[in-house]
Amino acid sequence: MTEPAPTAASSPVHVDYHTFELTDSDKRTPMGFDTSNGLVFSQPGQAVICTGISTGLVNVSVQVRRHPPAQVDADAWDEIIDHSVETATGALRVTSVMTDAPDLPLLTPQGPGTYRVRVHARGRDSTPDGVADDPVEDYLLIVWPAESQPDEIHKQTGRYGAELRAQPSRPAPPPSPGDAEDDLRRRTRERLHRRRTP
């Protein structure tokens, strides 16, 4: 039996503070910064994709599948990582921190549970820490239901990813009266300051 054609779509996505996200609700909770793979980290209901630009637009394509792809297409990408994401609501979507969600399909149509996301990235070395009104970075997210597993690294060749991997990961801060978006801004500023400090 052949795999049905994946649901596929593309859209520009707004980046804030070097990130765009996959979230399954309107609530964002503070989370630690885990830069160990240099591309993606998560907690239940929320995944963060690390971008080279600090603000602006990136191109994001998604493919939603029932099964993993038979092969990894590594030639056109700088970084490729398989990462597990858990959703309690089954409503995981591509989102932006400070703007409305892009017009991309639901990533988890099979409902609540654990999914595998293969994150492809290229162009993060083009304008690191810059602003991009026109996209200079591309991302492909391939999503399918799967049990939780450790990250699987398929390719890591970008300089920006290597810089992130060299940084120490930080645990989630204790809850504070400020909202989660203020906390994300503060943590991102600290991370950027560490990158610029010799």
Side-chain angles (χ1 to χ4, degrees):
M1 193 161 151
T2 60
E3 165 85 3
T7 300
S10 298
S11 175
V13 172
H14 198 317
V15 166
D16 295 293
Y17 310 106
H18 282 275
T19 62
F20 67 92
E21 297 184 347
L22 314 179
T23 56
D24 69 2
S25 76
D26 292 335
K27 290 188 172 184
R28 287 183 171 85
T29 56
M31 60 190 292
F33 250 85
D34 179 0
T35 55
S36 58
N37 69 34
L39 182 58
V40 56
F41 59 95
S42 66
Q43 65 184 8
Q46 182 179 2
V48 175
I49 313 295
C50 300
T51 63
I53 63 167
S54 62
T55 306
L57 294 173
V58 296
N59 292 315
V60 177
S61 298
V62 299
Q63 292 181 12
V64 180
R65 298 172 168 258
R66 291 184 182 272
H67 304 285
Q71 300 181 67
V72 177
D73 180 16
D75 291 344
W77 301 97
D78 302 326
E79 310 261 329
I80 306 173
I81 296 172
D82 289 358
H83 182 79
S84 292
V85 178
E86 182 183 336
T87 172
T89 67
L92 198 71
R93 294 185 178 277
V94 176
T95 58
S96 296
V97 175
M98 303 294 287
T99 60
D100 292 337
D103 187 20
L104 288 168
L106 179 69
L107 301 177
T108 53
Q110 282 81 30
T114 306
Y115 290 77
R116 202 71 166 154
V117 181
R118 180 167 295 165
V119 183
H120 303 69
R122 67 178 167 222
R124 294 195 301 167
D125 296 336
S126 300
T127 314
D129 301 326
V131 175
D133 294 326
D134 295 314
V136 295
E137 299 180 27
D138 299 297
Y139 296 84
L140 168 62
L141 311 176
I142 303 176
V143 184
W144 66 92
E147 292 185 9
S148 183
Q149 304 167 49
D151 289 350
E152 183 174 355
I153 310 299
H154 296 289
K155 188 173 184 182
Q156 289 180 322
T157 59
R159 288 187 315 274
Y160 185 79
E163 288 177 18
L164 289 181
R165 290 188 292 276
Q167 294 180 26
S169 295
R170 297 187 50 201
S176 64
D179 66 26
E181 289 174 1
D182 286 342
D183 185 65
L184 178 60
R185 281 191 217 106
R186 178 186 57 77
R187 288 183 287 121
T188 303
R189 278 195 305 271
E190 290 173 0
R191 180 172 58 120
L192 293 175
H193 178 72
R194 285 196 312 273
R195 287 186 67 226
R196 293 182 179 134
T197 302

